[in-house]
Amino acid sequence: MDITVNGRVRQVEDAIADSPLLWVLRDELGLVGTKFGCGVGTCGACTIHVDGKAVRSCQTTPEDIVGHEVTTIEGLADTTPDAGLHPVQQAWVEHSVPQCGYCQAGQIMSAAALLAENPAPSDSDINRDMSGNLCRCGTYARIRSAIKQAARNTPPSTNQDAS
Amino acid sequence: MPNVLSRRTFLSRSGWTATGLTIAATVSGCSLVPALPSRNELTETDAFTWLQLKPDGRFLFCSPRQEIGQGISSTLKLVIARELGVELEQVEVIAPDTSLIAQAKSTVGSESIKDFLEPVTEISQIMSETLRARAAQQLGTTPVEVAFTGREFVSSNGSRLSLSELAAGTPILLDPSEAPTATKPLQPKPASHLPSSVPTARIADIVTGAPLFAGDIQLPGLAHGAFIRPPQLGATLSETSFDAIPQDQILARYFDGERAGLVAPTQTSLIEALDLVEASWTTAAAADQDAINTSLALVEPVGELEHIVFETSGRPNEQADIDLSISIPFAAHAAIEPRAAVARWNDKVDPTLEIWTGTQDAFYVRSHIAKHFGLSEKEVIVYSQRVGGGFGSRTLCSVELEAALLAKEARRPVKVQWSRPDEFQEGFHRPPSRHRIRASANEVGMLTDWSHGFKSGHVIFTSAAMPRWMQAVTSFASDPGTARGAHLPYAAHRAEISFSDVRMPVKTGPWRGLGAAPNNFSIETAIDQLASNKGLDPLIFRLANLPPEHKRLSACLEQVAKNADWQGRSTTQTSARGIACGIYKSVTYVAVIADVDIDQESGAFQVTRLTCAHDCGRVINPDQVRAQIEGNLIWGLGMVKSEELSVKQGRLSADYLGDYQIPTIADAPAISIELIEPENAAPVGAGEAAIVASGAAIANAVAAFTGQPITELPIRLL
């Protein structure tokens, strides 16, 4: 079966078509940036994008994403036209968000999906969309600041609804 | 004049001789003693193994301290770069590797800066002097005639020698017998070419998803393993069958009479195979929360508890102005990274066994595993990986031994990745405690009587760390982890503080701040209540009762009051304020004011702001210190707002994070922090300090609103 991950078509065995995509990404495709935290969709560490929307890869299977575009943290920077980091990754560095760093790939993927949909999120928008991404080190204040900075640094999307 | 760095000088300057656990002395020489967490003291020879100049002209720092999110790798890198006069990128830092450095004590207790800043500074200065002397020799001149540009040495006649030319193909390590003493004062070296704050190490790798953690390790032929878990705490395996698993789905099965495990080619096939294992279990007596509660009940007079923390000659009056009984539950570390380890046995090459793991104590893991398999410590190498959240949880050996057992059976490298239920059911937890505090103040608001008795599960002498016989021996000893933070910072005319350790049927151990979080929560709850009882402002009451030797704590209180514009508890129909403070490990001072919104009808509350003043002496890497304080403030919030574990039907009450609620971004308040740096104050720890005050400040705000002190955690208003 063919799946598209970070712009590349990758083959996975039919036998694992219904396995958690998280483990397929990590163990079959070597994309270990997507993290295991709980396996039941309660921590957000395994967040990826499917067609730009934040999805928990532990709750997704290869057969779910056939014909869709998957982006992982390793491919996030390539989704922006500029070379270098995605504006969310850049803001994460500038605000020195990570402590242990384990949850941060998932945080960044959720934040990037939030900003793609809502370029100027309010505090309550951030709370709603980011509450499923747990951080035990307690970096939340910096996550909030970094999202707001990335929002300022992200050029408005050209195909944005004019209303 | 070159001379040898004397051990005595080095040790006295670095303050290393005062460390060490009583238990190591108590039981040393006994062959049955299991491997114990590493608390060994530093010698100057150890320090000489940390830093080298590599042939490529870069410096390699083999850190004795593990990176667990506290930012120590980049902070020590900053110190080294300053002392050597080089750029940050010229210094490579690697995590504790048991094959590269002498045994280092575990990364616990917020000691990395307090105990390691001086030796790291000193070793960097010695390296700097040594290289200059060698360069001068090669350039045919004297050290004073040689300038260092950060990349090369330049003599007064203009001849040049780069760092890589100096190394000439061989790493330069310091030889303690030849090294000059450090000549410069141990003051921060001004380094205008370096930033004043550096982010955590490898931040670019973190935000791009590069491999960093134990679970990210990939090796040729790597398989995946797991152990079968008991349905209840303490259940023993009586029978097991792997027959239902298709033969091609498993690579190895393991059964040693007590535990069973299996190895599969992939993580997904492993998870499927685990479901097919048939196991029967025998439960002797199921653990029970009611029995735990009974064992913690404070029925004895305070004076009859086992261990005395402090007492004055005059005993406190039995008749007290306030009499509070405070109940604090089990709590989990709930690091987002569940434990993982990879093990590989080698038939024909050294070392015999390699382990990749994220641990706070690589040397303890090595000695524990070596002892288990009858290997010498040289035959085992532990490669430390970045830890995805420690908080005390990675101080013992668990998943590493499991990986080694399964890899041996499977005759191939094996990764064991703990599940989230494994973390809750197989990990260890902060013990529950019960506190009774009776206190009185006189008519002018001076504390006269203080009696604090408490019972708690073990923190250091825990069943998670030692066999049953040793638990019995240590049951008579005072657990220093349980006692941490029980001292009263305020002056009382008559005081008595004592406690008893209670053996828990649940594995317990160190959790951020050890006993200090629950103990200081209890103290600050009672002090606030006593101020209310006397009709006094809680800030003024605290300041009035702090003795002169704690003027740094008074300064934190005054600063936080100023920054938050404290005008009393400021209770409205929908909000209130609370204040609390504390001293961590006698060296770090902190005060916090919490602003809390409360919905009277639903009983829900939201912490809207935490204002903190924090004094950990001289600050080396300010932004990372702030990050540690932010984390502590959030931990205090979680501790009082939502975190609770109990025993239900013979198991811990949580299997997943939905069953054990840590703070989310929606819980996180605005935070403002002021770092206070008194002149000449030595740099100390920040990793576990603010937690002692933030929870109590929040609880005191809620208490101001309801008029009732918070005596049970987590807070439930309805």
Side-chain angles (χ1 to χ4, degrees):
Chain A
M1 153 183 312
D2 286 346
I3 60 174
T4 308
V5 180
N6 297 332
R8 282 177 61 196
V9 177
R10 309 287 298 258
Q11 261 198 342
V12 299
E13 289 171 33
D14 290 346
I16 55 171
D18 60 350
S19 296
L21 184 59
L22 166 67
W23 297 114
V24 176
L25 292 170
R26 290 182 57 83
D27 294 341
E28 307 294 325
L29 305 184
L31 296 167
V32 297
T34 304
K35 297 297 187 226
F36 166 70
C38 68
V40 295
T42 54
C43 76
C46 70
T47 305
I48 57 167
H49 292 176
V50 176
D51 298 335
K53 300 257 189 292
V55 163
R56 307 287 186 246
S57 63
C58 73
Q59 301 298 299
T60 308
T61 64
E63 62 193 2
D64 292 340
I65 48 116
V66 170
H68 298 273
E69 296 273 341
V70 168
T71 305
T72 69
I73 187 73
E74 290 92 342
L76 181 66
D78 296 335
T79 63
T80 53
D82 303 329
L85 297 176
H86 183 281
V88 172
Q89 291 169 316
Q90 190 61 44
W92 245 245
V93 173
E94 284 167 20
H95 286 260
S96 198
V97 175
Q99 288 187 30
C100 84
Y102 193 82
C103 74
Q104 298 296 347
Q107 303 279 0
I108 289 168
M109 296 308 281
S110 287
L114 164 63
L115 289 173
E117 187 147 299
N118 178 355
S122 66
D123 279 341
S124 56
D125 294 336
I126 292 173
N127 287 350
R128 189 191 55 237
D129 275 36
M130 300 297 296
S131 279
N133 284 84
L134 300 177
C135 169
R136 188 49 158 164
C137 298
T139 64
Y140 296 127
R142 289 174 191 239
I143 287 174
R144 191 183 298 282
S145 311
I147 289 174
K148 290 184 172 173
Q149 184 189 316
R152 290 191 294 273
N153 293 351
T154 308
S157 169
T158 47
N159 59 5
Q160 203 179 323
D161 188 345
S163 64
Chain B
M1 184 179 69
N3 61 30
V4 181
L5 177 67
S6 110
R7 173 174 298 218
R8 190 174 50 77
T9 310
F10 199 100
L11 291 178
S12 63
R13 282 175 66 177
S14 304
W16 277 76
T17 46
T19 58
L21 267 183
T22 330
I23 180 159
T26 314
V27 293
S28 64
C30 173
S31 63
L32 291 171
V33 175
L36 289 168
S38 311
R39 301 290 299 184
N40 64 303
E41 291 157 22
L42 179 80
T43 71
E44 90 280 15
T45 316
D46 299 339
F48 280 91
T49 63
W50 299 340
L51 186 63
Q52 55 180 277
L53 174 63
K54 296 195 300 173
D56 65 1
R58 299 177 75 228
F59 291 91
L60 179 66
F61 177 59
C62 301
S63 180
R65 304 302 277 174
Q66 176 61 37
E67 182 58 55
I68 51 178
Q70 82 284 45
I72 195 60
S73 301
S74 58
T75 302
L76 291 178
K77 177 194 271 203
L78 180 65
V79 168
I80 293 163
R82 278 178 187 165
E83 295 303 329
L84 293 172
V86 301
E87 300 290 339
L88 287 170
E89 56 270 21
Q90 287 172 265
V91 182
E92 182 191 345
V93 179
I94 59 170
D97 176 325
T98 61
S99 68
L100 293 177
I101 58 169
Q103 179 156 355
K105 65 178 183 173
S106 55
T107 302
V108 296
S110 303
E111 294 166 340
S112 294
I113 286 296
K114 180 171 87 55
D115 291 350
F116 287 80
L117 177 67
E118 280 202 15
V120 168
T121 303
E122 195 156 353
I123 209 72
S124 305
Q125 291 180 353
I126 293 169
M127 175 63 84
S128 175
E129 295 298 310
T130 303
L131 296 181
R132 183 185 299 275
R134 288 203 190 186
Q137 200 174 25
Q138 291 195 27
L139 291 166
T141 182
T142 58
V144 290
E145 296 291 321
V146 172
F148 180 56
T149 67
R151 302 265 170 195
E152 48 186 16
F153 295 95
V154 185
S155 76
S156 50
N157 67 13
S159 48
R160 291 165 175 271
L161 186 70
S162 71
L163 286 168
S164 58
E165 287 165 344
L166 183 62
T170 318
I172 296 183
L173 278 132
L174 294 169
D175 179 344
S177 66
E178 291 173 9
T181 42
T183 50
K184 299 169 201 162
L186 290 178
Q187 283 300 315
K189 191 171 174 179
S192 54
H193 70 293
L194 295 172
S196 55
S197 267
V198 289
T200 195
R202 304 194 62 181
I203 188 167
D205 290 335
I206 291 169
V207 303
T208 54
L212 286 168
F213 300 93
D216 301 343
I217 295 289
Q218 305 283 348
L219 294 173
L222 183 67
H224 300 258
F227 276 81
I228 319 300
R229 301 304 187 191
Q232 290 194 327
L233 298 167
T236 51
L237 191 57
S238 47
E239 249 179 279
T240 187
S241 162
F242 300 97
D243 295 347
I245 308 170
Q247 282 309 302
D248 59 349
Q249 241 187 42
I250 49 174
L251 298 168
R253 47 181 80 75
Y254 177 92
F255 181 66
D256 64 8
E258 288 180 3
R259 55 194 153 185
L262 53 90
V263 178
T266 66
Q267 187 70 25
T268 46
S269 58
L270 175 69
I271 294 165
E272 284 164 19
L274 280 171
D275 272 348
L276 299 173
V277 176
E278 289 162 25
S280 41
W281 300 85
T282 313
T283 311
D288 174 63
Q289 187 64 42
D290 289 341
I292 291 169
N293 293 345
T294 304
S295 72
L296 290 166
L298 282 159
V299 288
E300 309 88 329
V302 172
E304 288 175 25
L305 293 168
E306 289 169 356
H307 312 297
I308 296 162
V309 176
F310 178 79
E311 59 183 345
T312 52
S313 54
R315 296 196 62 191
N317 281 331
E318 294 280 318
Q319 293 300 315
D321 292 341
I322 61 153
D323 185 347
L324 294 184
S325 292
I326 296 171
S327 169
I328 298 175
F330 288 107
H333 302 94
I336 306 299
E337 177 195 33
R339 289 163 180 80
V342 172
R344 175 164 70 187
W345 291 83
N346 300 307
D347 277 344
K348 299 191 176 71
V349 291
D350 289 335
T352 307
L353 175 59
E354 296 169 284
I355 305 277
W356 290 260
T357 183
T359 174
Q360 293 175 250
D361 195 347
F363 290 90
Y364 171 64
V365 170
R366 178 182 68 170
S367 51
H368 187 90
I369 286 181
K371 195 152 185 148
H372 184 94
F373 292 104
L375 298 169
S376 74
E377 293 195 343
K378 278 193 175 146
E379 291 172 294
V380 182
I381 294 184
V382 177
Y383 308 107
S384 292
Q385 309 301 304
R386 191 180 181 98
V387 178
F391 320 117
S393 68
R394 307 302 181 83
T395 46
L396 299 175
C397 176
S398 52
V399 68
E400 298 87 354
L401 178 61
E402 293 182 350
L405 288 167
L406 294 179
K408 192 166 193 204
E409 193 70 31
R411 305 181 63 79
R412 61 166 72 208
V414 168
K415 181 186 294 177
V416 174
Q417 168 68 68
W418 271 21
S419 67
R420 185 54 61 183
D422 288 347
E423 282 289 314
F424 282 113
Q425 303 298 333
E426 303 295 318
F428 58 86
H429 306 291
R430 184 193 71 199
S433 57
R434 300 288 183 274
H435 305 253
R436 184 171 182 196
I437 298 182
R438 279 167 290 183
S440 300
N442 64 20
E443 62 285 355
V444 291
M446 299 306 289
L447 192 59
T448 54
D449 299 271
W450 179 267
S451 162
H452 180 186
F454 60 102
K455 283 189 176 177
S456 166
H458 289 82
V459 173
I460 305 273
F461 301 152
T462 150
S463 45
M466 49 187 66
R468 202 170 284 273
W469 69 266
M470 193 184 266
Q471 294 171 33
V473 173
T474 56
S475 287
F476 299 103
S478 164
D479 188 319
T482 310
R484 184 173 294 174
H487 274 281
L488 182 70
Y490 307 98
H493 299 163
R494 293 169 293 275
E496 180 175 64
I497 304 164
S498 58
F499 73 101
S500 287
D501 300 306
V502 180
R503 190 62 63 193
M504 288 286 127
V506 171
K507 283 184 269 187
T508 57
W511 184 91
R512 200 168 199 168
L514 283 62
N519 289 335
N520 203 62
F521 172 83
S522 304
I523 293 169
E524 287 295 292
T525 296
I527 285 290
D528 223 67
Q529 178 65 14
L530 188 55
S532 295
N533 181 280
K534 294 286 160 186
L536 294 168
D537 177 89
L539 169 69
I540 293 167
F541 184 69
R542 283 176 171 83
L543 288 171
N545 283 291
L546 280 174
E549 69 258 34
H550 294 326
K551 63 177 189 226
R552 289 170 71 178
L553 185 57
S554 299
C556 286
L557 279 166
E558 284 162 354
Q559 190 66 52
V560 79
K562 181 167 170 249
N563 293 0
D565 191 23
W566 175 264
Q567 307 281 340
R569 293 184 172 112
S570 311
T571 309
T572 72
Q573 290 294 308
T574 57
S575 68
R577 312 190 89 182
I579 190 167
C581 63
I583 305 172
Y584 188 62
K585 289 178 86 176
S586 312
V587 291
T588 304
Y589 302 84
V590 61
V592 175
I593 288 174
D595 285 279
V596 180
D597 282 353
I598 303 168
D599 181 68
Q600 212 159 4
E601 278 195 10
S602 69
F605 69 92
Q606 175 78 28
V607 183
T608 56
R609 177 173 289 276
L610 290 171
T611 310
C612 176
H614 191 278
D615 172 2
C616 57
R618 180 157 65 84
V619 172
I620 310 301
N621 192 6
D623 192 56
Q624 289 296 292
V625 168
R626 288 175 182 279
Q628 282 303 295
I629 297 167
E630 289 161 23
N632 268 277
L633 294 171
I634 297 292
W635 270 63
L637 186 155
M639 173 177 161
V640 300
K641 193 171 181 185
S642 57
E643 293 184 36
E644 178 183 31
L645 268 184
S646 61
V647 174
K648 280 190 181 151
Q649 289 155 354
R651 290 171 65 79
L652 271 313
S653 54
D655 280 311
Y656 291 98
L657 290 160
D659 314 321
Y660 183 86
Q661 289 175 3
I662 64 172
T664 73
I665 195 167
D667 296 308
I671 288 174
S672 57
I673 294 165
E674 175 145 353
L675 302 179
I676 300 175
E677 293 183 78
E679 208 171 331
N680 299 323
V684 293
E688 306 162 283
I691 189 174
V692 308
S694 68
I698 294 164
N700 289 340
V702 176
F705 187 88
T706 62
Q708 295 295 321
I710 300 300
T711 55
E712 191 169 348
L713 294 184
I715 298 169
R716 288 187 188 90
L717 288 180
L718 291 179

